[in-house]
Structure formats: structure tokens, C-alpha cells
Amino acid sequence: TEIYTLSLHDALPISILWSDRFDEEIEEPGAAQDRIVRRMRDELSVRLIDIESERSRSERPIDPDAFDLVLRARSIRNQPPSLLRDREVMALLERALALDPSSVYALTGIAYYLSNATGNVGWQDFAKLQRAEHLLRRAQSIAPEAPFVLNAHVLWLRTVGRCAQAIEVCKYAIRMYPNRIRGWMGIYHELGRCKAWMGQAEEAIVIKSE
């Protein structure tokens, strides 16, 4: 067993942004490195978003640009789920989209929340789903293979009852980004859900347990 201690520092001001300790088997150095990199990526992605969000607040508290607003929305989105959280995120994304109509994250973020707010098949809000589709198409024209575009597209397809298409997009996303396991929790959730709805319960159980 070998113990690693890694840390990331911010130069301005000098401070520790992140630090962790890893206890790995030296017999499999390649696999150990992969586990360390995945853990760093998962933890740092959240931490850095929060740091940059706070920095934008301090540097541009009165007149934030679209990117500042997106950072703030992403930081709030990492908080525990609640209706208040979702409203705050949506408000920030709407402001970001008004400032930058080509913001892919704002386009897909709003589409995601509009789709998620409609519930299951049979309980849709047509106007919300129609707007979500319009926003997704704009995002797809800019960055069709971006992870958050694929994720929002899958949710929209499942919500409108197009599970066969949703399954194909899920499979495509997993092929495109095979190492994005934790980042694809929504993709795997929708894949398992659609498999169950289409009478493939045994396959859905396997997906849910992975």
C-alpha cells in the first residue's frame, strides 16, 4: 500500500483550495492513478465552481456578466434539492440567457428544469415542454455532444414519452464519455427508467445496480 497526499493551492491569495489523502495498492499503479484522478475530478469540479462563483460575486457584485450568472447558478445547483434552490437557479439562468442567447449551459439548464417540472408522461405542461424543446435545439446547434446537452435531451425525451429515442441517446452518451460514471447518474437513471417502462425490467435492474 502506498499513501499519497495531494493538494491544490490558489496563488491569489495563497490558500489551499483542496487537499486529500489516498491509500492505494501499489500492485496496480495504473488503476490507482485512475481512481485518484476520478476522485479529484469529481470533488474539484464542485469546489472550483463554488470558488469561482464567490470570486465573481466579490469582483462584479452589481453588474455580473452571463458567465458570472452561470457560475452562481451552478454553485447553487450543487446544494441539496429544494423548490427554493430550483427557483434561484432558474432565475439566474434566465438572466444569463438574456445577456447571452448562445450560452449552452443556460439553454440546457433551463430546458432541464422545464422538463423536470412537468412530471411524468401524462402530466405534461405543453408550453413548458415546447419551450424546452426549442432551447435544446438551439443548444444542440452550438454544442451537440456537450455532456449537459445530452443529459438535458435525455430527460426531455423521457418526459415526452420517447423512451426508445432516450435509450439510444443514453447509449451514445455513455460511449462518448465512458469514464464519466458519476457525472452520468442522470443518464443511467433515465436509461433504467425507460428500460423498465418498455418492458425490459431485468435490464433496468442491472443498470440501477451498477
Side-chain angles (χ1 to χ4, degrees), residues 90 94 107-119 124-125 127-135 155-156 159:
M90 276 288 283
E94 292 284 11
L107 288 166
T108 54
I110 295 170
Y112 181 92
Y113 277 103
L114 289 173
S115 300
N116 202 40
T118 62
Q124 298 102 325
D125 182 314
K128 288 181 178 179
L129 288 177
Q130 191 174 45
R131 186 183 177 217
E133 181 183 18
H134 176 68
L135 294 173
L155 176 62
W156 183 84
T159 304

mmCIF file of all heavy atoms in Angstrom, residues 90 94 107-119 124-125 127-135 155-156 159:
data_model
loop_
_atom_site.group_PDB
_atom_site.id
_atom_site.type_symbol
_atom_site.label_atom_id
_atom_site.label_comp_id
_atom_site.label_asym_id
_atom_site.label_seq_id
_atom_site.Cartn_x
_atom_site.Cartn_y
_atom_site.Cartn_z
ATOM 1 N N MET A 90 -33.070 28.819 -11.684
ATOM 2 C CA MET A 90 -33.788 29.211 -12.895
ATOM 3 C C MET A 90 -33.709 30.711 -13.128
ATOM 4 O O MET A 90 -33.506 31.175 -14.259
ATOM 5 C CB MET A 90 -35.250 28.775 -12.806
ATOM 6 C CG MET A 90 -35.483 27.350 -13.217
ATOM 7 S SD MET A 90 -35.307 27.100 -15.009
ATOM 8 C CE MET A 90 -36.872 27.772 -15.591
ATOM 9 N N GLU A 94 -32.061 32.352 -16.426
ATOM 10 C CA GLU A 94 -32.847 33.226 -17.305
ATOM 11 C C GLU A 94 -32.124 34.551 -17.523
ATOM 12 O O GLU A 94 -32.095 35.078 -18.644
ATOM 13 C CB GLU A 94 -34.238 33.469 -16.710
ATOM 14 C CG GLU A 94 -35.152 32.248 -16.664
ATOM 15 C CD GLU A 94 -35.752 31.887 -18.016
ATOM 16 O OE1 GLU A 94 -35.324 32.441 -19.048
ATOM 17 O OE2 GLU A 94 -36.658 31.038 -18.029
ATOM 18 N N LEU A 107 -29.036 27.549 -21.783
ATOM 19 C CA LEU A 107 -30.061 26.937 -22.637
ATOM 20 C C LEU A 107 -30.457 25.561 -22.112
ATOM 21 O O LEU A 107 -31.650 25.269 -21.942
ATOM 22 C CB LEU A 107 -29.538 26.807 -24.071
ATOM 23 C CG LEU A 107 -29.395 28.093 -24.883
ATOM 24 C CD1 LEU A 107 -28.544 27.847 -26.129
ATOM 25 C CD2 LEU A 107 -30.763 28.635 -25.276
ATOM 26 N N THR A 108 -29.470 24.720 -21.847
ATOM 27 C CA THR A 108 -29.776 23.360 -21.404
ATOM 28 C C THR A 108 -30.248 23.321 -19.953
ATOM 29 O O THR A 108 -31.080 22.489 -19.596
ATOM 30 C CB THR A 108 -28.548 22.442 -21.564
ATOM 31 O OG1 THR A 108 -27.427 23.024 -20.891
ATOM 32 C CG2 THR A 108 -28.201 22.252 -23.023
ATOM 33 N N GLY A 109 -29.723 24.222 -19.129
ATOM 34 C CA GLY A 109 -30.166 24.254 -17.742
ATOM 35 C C GLY A 109 -31.636 24.601 -17.624
ATOM 36 O O GLY A 109 -32.388 23.962 -16.883
ATOM 37 N N ILE A 110 -32.058 25.609 -18.370
ATOM 38 C CA ILE A 110 -33.476 25.992 -18.353
ATOM 39 C C ILE A 110 -34.329 24.870 -18.926
ATOM 40 O O ILE A 110 -35.389 24.530 -18.381
ATOM 41 C CB ILE A 110 -33.687 27.299 -19.137
ATOM 42 C CG1 ILE A 110 -32.971 28.459 -18.437
ATOM 43 C CG2 ILE A 110 -35.181 27.610 -19.280
ATOM 44 C CD1 ILE A 110 -32.919 29.733 -19.257
ATOM 45 N N ALA A 111 -33.863 24.269 -20.042
ATOM 46 C CA ALA A 111 -34.601 23.159 -20.650
ATOM 47 C C ALA A 111 -34.746 22.002 -19.670
ATOM 48 O O ALA A 111 -35.805 21.365 -19.591
ATOM 49 C CB ALA A 111 -33.896 22.701 -21.920
ATOM 50 N N TYR A 112 -33.686 21.726 -18.927
ATOM 51 C CA TYR A 112 -33.716 20.637 -17.944
ATOM 52 C C TYR A 112 -34.782 20.904 -16.885
ATOM 53 O O TYR A 112 -35.601 20.026 -16.570
ATOM 54 C CB TYR A 112 -32.346 20.498 -17.288
ATOM 55 C CG TYR A 112 -32.258 19.378 -16.281
ATOM 56 C CD1 TYR A 112 -31.846 18.110 -16.678
ATOM 57 C CD2 TYR A 112 -32.598 19.582 -14.945
ATOM 58 C CE1 TYR A 112 -31.773 17.068 -15.758
ATOM 59 C CE2 TYR A 112 -32.534 18.551 -14.031
ATOM 60 C CZ TYR A 112 -32.119 17.299 -14.439
ATOM 61 O OH TYR A 112 -32.067 16.280 -13.519
ATOM 62 N N TYR A 113 -34.783 22.102 -16.331
ATOM 63 C CA TYR A 113 -35.744 22.412 -15.270
ATOM 64 C C TYR A 113 -37.172 22.468 -15.800
ATOM 65 O O TYR A 113 -38.111 22.065 -15.113
ATOM 66 C CB TYR A 113 -35.370 23.724 -14.594
ATOM 67 C CG TYR A 113 -34.311 23.547 -13.526
ATOM 68 C CD1 TYR A 113 -32.982 23.900 -13.766
ATOM 69 C CD2 TYR A 113 -34.619 23.010 -12.285
ATOM 70 C CE1 TYR A 113 -32.005 23.724 -12.804
ATOM 71 C CE2 TYR A 113 -33.651 22.819 -11.315
ATOM 72 C CZ TYR A 113 -32.345 23.180 -11.576
ATOM 73 O OH TYR A 113 -31.381 22.978 -10.621
ATOM 74 N N LEU A 114 -37.351 22.963 -17.013
ATOM 75 C CA LEU A 114 -38.693 22.982 -17.605
ATOM 76 C C LEU A 114 -39.207 21.559 -17.808
ATOM 77 O O LEU A 114 -40.375 21.270 -17.553
ATOM 78 C CB LEU A 114 -38.668 23.717 -18.940
ATOM 79 C CG LEU A 114 -38.470 25.231 -18.892
ATOM 80 C CD1 LEU A 114 -38.291 25.784 -20.296
ATOM 81 C CD2 LEU A 114 -39.648 25.922 -18.198
ATOM 82 N N SER A 115 -38.335 20.659 -18.262
ATOM 83 C CA SER A 115 -38.732 19.267 -18.476
ATOM 84 C C SER A 115 -38.993 18.566 -17.149
ATOM 85 O O SER A 115 -39.979 17.836 -16.996
ATOM 86 C CB SER A 115 -37.640 18.514 -19.244
ATOM 87 O OG SER A 115 -37.395 19.100 -20.502
ATOM 88 N N ASN A 116 -38.130 18.793 -16.188
ATOM 89 C CA ASN A 116 -38.247 18.135 -14.893
ATOM 90 C C ASN A 116 -39.480 18.596 -14.134
ATOM 91 O O ASN A 116 -40.058 17.844 -13.349
ATOM 92 C CB ASN A 116 -36.987 18.411 -14.069
ATOM 93 C CG ASN A 116 -36.771 17.377 -12.983
ATOM 94 O OD1 ASN A 116 -36.982 16.193 -13.193
ATOM 95 N ND2 ASN A 116 -36.357 17.831 -11.815
ATOM 96 N N ALA A 117 -39.906 19.826 -14.374
ATOM 97 C CA ALA A 117 -41.055 20.383 -13.648
ATOM 98 C C ALA A 117 -42.385 19.829 -14.144
ATOM 99 O O ALA A 117 -43.408 19.995 -13.490
ATOM 100 C CB ALA A 117 -41.067 21.908 -13.779
ATOM 101 N N THR A 118 -42.373 19.146 -15.294
ATOM 102 C CA THR A 118 -43.640 18.683 -15.873
ATOM 103 C C THR A 118 -44.052 17.314 -15.368
ATOM 104 O O THR A 118 -45.155 16.860 -15.651
ATOM 105 C CB THR A 118 -43.531 18.613 -17.405
ATOM 106 O OG1 THR A 118 -42.526 17.656 -17.751
ATOM 107 C CG2 THR A 118 -43.162 19.957 -17.987
ATOM 108 N N GLY A 119 -43.167 16.636 -14.662
ATOM 109 C CA GLY A 119 -43.534 15.331 -14.122
ATOM 110 C C GLY A 119 -43.428 14.228 -15.155
ATOM 111 O O GLY A 119 -42.679 14.320 -16.119
ATOM 112 N N GLN A 124 -47.869 16.405 -18.520
ATOM 113 C CA GLN A 124 -47.012 17.435 -19.069
ATOM 114 C C GLN A 124 -47.667 18.808 -19.114
ATOM 115 O O GLN A 124 -48.884 18.934 -19.237
ATOM 116 C CB GLN A 124 -46.576 17.066 -20.498
ATOM 117 C CG GLN A 124 -45.764 15.800 -20.580
ATOM 118 C CD GLN A 124 -46.610 14.640 -21.059
ATOM 119 O OE1 GLN A 124 -47.779 14.557 -20.746
ATOM 120 N NE2 GLN A 124 -45.993 13.756 -21.816
ATOM 121 N N ASP A 125 -46.828 19.820 -19.021
ATOM 122 C CA ASP A 125 -47.214 21.191 -19.301
ATOM 123 C C ASP A 125 -46.703 21.461 -20.714
ATOM 124 O O ASP A 125 -45.505 21.602 -20.932
ATOM 125 C CB ASP A 125 -46.560 22.128 -18.289
ATOM 126 C CG ASP A 125 -46.966 23.574 -18.488
ATOM 127 O OD1 ASP A 125 -46.952 24.033 -19.646
ATOM 128 O OD2 ASP A 125 -47.263 24.259 -17.494
ATOM 129 N N ALA A 127 -46.715 23.936 -22.835
ATOM 130 C CA ALA A 127 -45.963 25.160 -23.116
ATOM 131 C C ALA A 127 -44.522 25.048 -22.616
ATOM 132 O O ALA A 127 -43.574 25.465 -23.294
ATOM 133 C CB ALA A 127 -46.652 26.361 -22.480
ATOM 134 N N LYS A 128 -44.352 24.464 -21.417
ATOM 135 C CA LYS A 128 -43.000 24.311 -20.866
ATOM 136 C C LYS A 128 -42.168 23.339 -21.703
ATOM 137 O O LYS A 128 -40.996 23.598 -22.002
ATOM 138 C CB LYS A 128 -43.066 23.820 -19.417
ATOM 139 C CG LYS A 128 -43.542 24.877 -18.431
ATOM 140 C CD LYS A 128 -43.548 24.324 -17.015
ATOM 141 C CE LYS A 128 -43.988 25.391 -16.019
ATOM 142 N NZ LYS A 128 -44.022 24.874 -14.634
ATOM 143 N N LEU A 129 -42.787 22.231 -22.095
ATOM 144 C CA LEU A 129 -42.056 21.252 -22.889
ATOM 145 C C LEU A 129 -41.727 21.783 -24.287
ATOM 146 O O LEU A 129 -40.673 21.471 -24.843
ATOM 147 C CB LEU A 129 -42.866 19.958 -23.002
ATOM 148 C CG LEU A 129 -42.948 19.128 -21.729
ATOM 149 C CD1 LEU A 129 -43.832 17.915 -21.927
ATOM 150 C CD2 LEU A 129 -41.557 18.684 -21.290
ATOM 151 N N GLN A 130 -42.621 22.584 -24.828
ATOM 152 C CA GLN A 130 -42.362 23.183 -26.134
ATOM 153 C C GLN A 130 -41.188 24.153 -26.057
ATOM 154 O O GLN A 130 -40.310 24.168 -26.939
ATOM 155 C CB GLN A 130 -43.619 23.906 -26.628
ATOM 156 C CG GLN A 130 -43.548 24.346 -28.084
ATOM 157 C CD GLN A 130 -44.867 24.926 -28.558
ATOM 158 O OE1 GLN A 130 -45.499 25.736 -27.852
ATOM 159 N NE2 GLN A 130 -45.308 24.509 -29.727
ATOM 160 N N ARG A 131 -41.151 24.957 -24.998
ATOM 161 C CA ARG A 131 -40.021 25.875 -24.842
ATOM 162 C C ARG A 131 -38.730 25.103 -24.593
ATOM 163 O O ARG A 131 -37.671 25.456 -25.116
ATOM 164 C CB ARG A 131 -40.269 26.847 -23.687
ATOM 165 C CG ARG A 131 -39.171 27.908 -23.602
ATOM 166 C CD ARG A 131 -39.310 28.855 -22.453
ATOM 167 N NE ARG A 131 -38.179 29.773 -22.443
ATOM 168 C CZ ARG A 131 -37.586 30.229 -21.352
ATOM 169 N NH1 ARG A 131 -38.031 29.862 -20.158
ATOM 170 N NH2 ARG A 131 -36.556 31.044 -21.425
ATOM 171 N N ALA A 132 -38.815 24.043 -23.783
ATOM 172 C CA ALA A 132 -37.634 23.225 -23.518
ATOM 173 C C ALA A 132 -37.079 22.652 -24.819
ATOM 174 O O ALA A 132 -35.859 22.643 -25.040
ATOM 175 C CB ALA A 132 -37.980 22.094 -22.551
ATOM 176 N N GLU A 133 -37.955 22.171 -25.684
ATOM 177 C CA GLU A 133 -37.501 21.629 -26.972
ATOM 178 C C GLU A 133 -36.811 22.700 -27.807
ATOM 179 O O GLU A 133 -35.771 22.455 -28.418
ATOM 180 C CB GLU A 133 -38.697 21.056 -27.736
ATOM 181 C CG GLU A 133 -38.304 20.452 -29.078
ATOM 182 C CD GLU A 133 -39.496 19.943 -29.858
ATOM 183 O OE1 GLU A 133 -40.637 20.340 -29.540
ATOM 184 O OE2 GLU A 133 -39.289 19.150 -30.797
ATOM 185 N N HIS A 134 -37.389 23.888 -27.827
ATOM 186 C CA HIS A 134 -36.802 24.998 -28.588
ATOM 187 C C HIS A 134 -35.414 25.347 -28.055
ATOM 188 O O HIS A 134 -34.464 25.531 -28.837
ATOM 189 C CB HIS A 134 -37.723 26.215 -28.501
ATOM 190 C CG HIS A 134 -37.175 27.440 -29.156
ATOM 191 N ND1 HIS A 134 -37.010 27.544 -30.513
ATOM 192 C CD2 HIS A 134 -36.741 28.615 -28.627
ATOM 193 C CE1 HIS A 134 -36.485 28.732 -30.811
ATOM 194 N NE2 HIS A 134 -36.321 29.394 -29.679
ATOM 195 N N LEU A 135 -35.271 25.412 -26.743
ATOM 196 C CA LEU A 135 -33.974 25.730 -26.142
ATOM 197 C C LEU A 135 -32.949 24.631 -26.417
ATOM 198 O O LEU A 135 -31.778 24.910 -26.697
ATOM 199 C CB LEU A 135 -34.136 25.917 -24.633
ATOM 200 C CG LEU A 135 -34.974 27.122 -24.183
ATOM 201 C CD1 LEU A 135 -35.184 27.077 -22.676
ATOM 202 C CD2 LEU A 135 -34.308 28.424 -24.576
ATOM 203 N N LEU A 155 -33.533 13.687 -20.661
ATOM 204 C CA LEU A 155 -34.652 13.969 -19.758
ATOM 205 C C LEU A 155 -35.875 14.420 -20.536
ATOM 206 O O LEU A 155 -37.000 13.977 -20.268
ATOM 207 C CB LEU A 155 -34.258 15.035 -18.736
ATOM 208 C CG LEU A 155 -35.389 15.481 -17.801
ATOM 209 C CD1 LEU A 155 -35.893 14.325 -16.950
ATOM 210 C CD2 LEU A 155 -34.934 16.635 -16.908
ATOM 211 N N TRP A 156 -35.667 15.301 -21.518
ATOM 212 C CA TRP A 156 -36.804 15.786 -22.318
ATOM 213 C C TRP A 156 -37.458 14.639 -23.087
ATOM 214 O O TRP A 156 -38.682 14.522 -23.103
ATOM 215 C CB TRP A 156 -36.336 16.871 -23.291
ATOM 216 C CG TRP A 156 -37.470 17.459 -24.085
ATOM 217 C CD1 TRP A 156 -38.306 18.468 -23.701
ATOM 218 C CD2 TRP A 156 -37.919 17.035 -25.382
ATOM 219 N NE1 TRP A 156 -39.245 18.711 -24.686
ATOM 220 C CE2 TRP A 156 -39.028 17.850 -25.721
ATOM 221 C CE3 TRP A 156 -37.483 16.072 -26.280
ATOM 222 C CZ2 TRP A 156 -39.706 17.712 -26.937
ATOM 223 C CZ3 TRP A 156 -38.170 15.928 -27.493
ATOM 224 C CH2 TRP A 156 -39.267 16.743 -27.809
ATOM 225 N N THR A 159 -39.456 12.508 -20.744
ATOM 226 C CA THR A 159 -40.630 13.211 -20.242
ATOM 227 C C THR A 159 -41.766 13.225 -21.254
ATOM 228 O O THR A 159 -42.937 13.134 -20.880
ATOM 229 C CB THR A 159 -40.264 14.654 -19.857
ATOM 230 O OG1 THR A 159 -39.205 14.629 -18.901
ATOM 231 C CG2 THR A 159 -41.450 15.386 -19.236
#
